[in-house]
Amino acid sequence: MKIHKIGIIMNGVTGRMGTNQHLLRSIDAIIKQGGVKVSPTEFIMPDPILVGRNEIKLKALIEKTSVEKWTTDLDSVMNDPAYPIYFDAQSTLRRFDAVKQAAAAGKHVYCEKPTAIKTEDAYKLYEICRDAGVKNGVVQDKLWLPGMIKFKRLVENDFFGDIMSVRGEFGYWVFEGHTVPPQRPSWNYRKEDGGGMIVDMLCHWRYVIDNLFGPVKGVSCLAATHIPERIDEEGKPYKCTADDSAYSTFELENGVICHFNSSWNVRVRRDDLLTMQVDGTKGSAVVGLRDVWIQHYGNTPRPVWNPDIEQPIDFFDGWQKVPEQETYDNAFKIQWELFLRHVVLDEPFRWNLLEGAKGVQLAEYGIKSSEERKWLELPALEV
């Protein structure tokens, strides 16, 4: 039996996303399944050490996982050759310096998005890692969600014909905290702390659109802060300085038009927290996080506009649910396994820090579009 033991510095995993998706459901799950299977006699086994500023939180994570090591001294592990991978799930404003330090220490870098607040910084991180000769990647988890995989299978089978447009609806009601406790951290709503809907979600929409529908060419975006005050973790009111909603239209290089509404102030009456209606010349689909509903040209109803009578068509009847045809693992875990194979086996991994910089670029141009109230085209980011 051949085991590739690979040390991973996991920095910032005491946060919600770092704990749940990256530690519990990814790295700890990979360890408990016996590693990443390369062949019946060969596996890649993660050997993580948890890094953070809060000793109490780190010890609590050690108790609930199979991970045994932790430290509050990042510098000590940065210089330890036993850990060739550095993973960063800190808040965005802390990421640049830590990733730069990791690359200088010869660590392969994998990090959450957005990789920075400014395109210049995000692209610089890509250049730093490229010039240091270290492998690098950015989390683009939504690509491995069951709904996205089902959509890709439909495209592969030419279900849609020519795709014309995509309409995305994302978000839910985040409680302000005055009566019901909020379910998101307060920094998300403070611009000075790196918060904001555009910064948060347009990084996602960039890789979703680029990978599923085509490269983004231009953007028109309108940001809004609909709720001016919320309650923080200490029960104190604070002013919301970041946008909590974004209304964005994207033009793709292939002519497809995508429109995404993103909001923390919307009550959900749709199939999922994220839905995308994709309309093509041959058929349409409503793509959720896990399920996909389709309607082909052959069973498309023929509505007639007449508001003076009850609508005779039940528009939900003409849609069919795509069945479960594959086994779907956790999306974060799937990408982690691909990155570990990339580092250990040198397999291809195209979701690098340049892709992360593209997401930051779209967010930055979305903010600029909103401030200037105009349509903007995106310049190419060179390899």
Side-chain angles (χ1 to χ4, degrees):
M1 186 70 69
K2 185 176 182 179
I3 303 295
H4 302 276
K5 185 178 178 181
I6 184 85
I8 306 172
I9 301 167
M10 301 192 72
N11 191 11
V13 291
T14 55
R16 177 180 57 90
M17 186 70 71
T19 293
N20 295 325
Q21 296 290 10
H22 292 290
L23 180 56
L24 298 179
R25 299 169 192 167
S26 295
I27 294 301
D28 194 43
I30 291 171
I31 293 171
K32 289 176 178 176
Q33 75 180 16
V36 179
K37 184 178 180 180
V38 178
S39 75
T41 59
E42 186 177 2
F43 294 82
I44 300 169
M45 180 60 71
D47 179 30
I49 183 168
L50 308 186
V51 181
R53 292 168 292 158
N54 190 315
E55 181 177 326
I56 296 174
K57 289 183 178 180
L58 290 170
K59 287 181 178 179
L61 289 178
I62 293 295
E63 291 176 0
K64 66 191 298 187
T65 67
S66 55
V67 181
E68 299 176 348
K69 296 171 291 185
W70 63 273
T71 182
T72 57
D73 184 1
L74 177 61
D75 291 340
S76 67
V77 286
M78 280 291 200
N79 297 316
D80 191 337
Y83 302 99
I85 295 178
Y86 172 76
F87 170 67
D88 193 295
Q90 300 182 98
S91 58
T92 307
L93 297 181
R94 295 179 175 274
R95 190 159 293 139
F96 185 91
D97 290 339
V99 170
K100 182 179 178 181
Q101 180 185 0
K107 308 295 185 187
H108 304 298
V109 172
Y110 187 50
C111 65
E112 261 291 356
K113 73 277 163 204
T115 54
I117 298 298
K118 298 181 179 180
T119 308
E120 179 182 1
D121 291 340
Y123 187 74
K124 184 64 177 177
L125 286 181
Y126 161 69
E127 289 183 315
I128 288 170
C129 290
R130 180 198 63 192
D131 296 344
V134 298
K135 293 180 168 66
N136 57 90
V138 62
V139 177
Q140 301 199 328
D141 54 284
K142 287 182 173 54
L143 297 177
W144 291 275
L145 289 169
M148 307 301 171
I149 294 173
K150 293 172 184 176
F151 167 78
K152 286 190 287 186
R153 299 292 180 260
L154 292 168
V155 172
E156 291 165 1
N157 287 282
D158 195 30
F159 173 82
F160 296 97
D162 294 326
I163 293 177
M164 301 174 290
S165 64
V166 182
R167 293 192 298 280
E169 291 286 342
F170 168 79
Y172 48 90
W173 188 268
V174 176
F175 288 95
E176 312 93 309
H178 294 98
T179 52
V180 179
Q183 66 269 45
R184 289 182 64 83
S186 60
W187 71 264
N188 288 165
Y189 304 94
R190 291 191 295 265
K191 183 178 181 180
E192 59 272 24
D193 291 334
M197 178 60 82
I198 291 180
V199 171
D200 190 358
M201 293 312 301
L202 263 65
C203 293
H204 283 287
W205 304 151
R206 181 67 189 265
Y207 74 74
V208 168
I209 294 171
D210 277 0
N211 283 272
L212 298 186
F213 307 111
V216 178
K217 176 183 177 182
V219 58
S220 173
C221 186
L222 179 63
T225 305
H226 292 303
I227 295 180
E229 180 185 275
R230 293 178 180 268
I231 304 299
D232 67 16
E233 289 77 5
E234 297 179 353
K236 298 178 181 178
Y238 67 94
K239 182 180 179 182
C240 299
T241 54
D243 50 293
D244 56 26
S245 300
Y247 309 93
S248 312
T249 302
F250 311 106
E251 181 186 12
L252 310 192
E253 290 181 3
N254 56 16
V256 174
I257 304 300
C258 299
H259 181 83
F260 278 71
N261 292 322
S262 312
S263 178
W264 301 128
N265 314 301
V266 60
R267 295 176 178 88
V268 179
R269 193 177 188 274
R270 53 184 186 269
D271 293 317
D272 213 330
L273 300 183
L274 167 64
T275 58
M276 300 183 299
Q277 178 158 335
V278 184
D279 289 309
T281 53
K282 292 183 179 180
S284 297
V286 175
V287 182
L289 300 176
R290 301 195 63 85
D291 293 322
V292 176
W293 296 81
I294 55 175
Q295 184 176 90
H296 198 261
Y297 190 96
N299 62 327
T300 300
R302 188 173 183 270
V304 176
W305 177 263
N306 187 352
D308 297 323
I309 63 172
E310 290 288 333
Q311 176 56 250
I313 301 173
D314 183 343
F315 290 106
F316 289 95
D317 273 352
W319 294 80
Q320 295 176 309
K321 186 177 180 180
V322 174
E324 307 292 309
Q325 297 174 319
E326 302 175 62
T327 299
Y328 307 102
D329 206 344
N330 179 277
F332 289 85
K333 178 172 175 280
I334 292 172
Q335 195 180 8
W336 258 111
E337 292 183 340
L338 291 172
F339 186 72
L340 291 174
R341 295 177 71 100
H342 176 53
V343 171
V344 175
L345 307 175
D346 201 32
E347 292 184 353
F349 187 88
R350 60 189 179 87
W351 306 279
N352 61 12
L353 287 177
L354 179 60
E355 297 303 302
K358 290 179 182 179
V360 176
Q361 180 195 51
L362 185 60
E364 188 170 22
Y365 272 71
I367 293 171
K368 186 177 180 182
S369 170
S370 182
E371 291 173 346
E372 298 180 2
R373 294 297 196 269
K374 68 179 184 182
W375 187 272
L376 297 174
E377 292 203 358
L378 304 179
L381 292 179
E382 300 299 330
V383 176

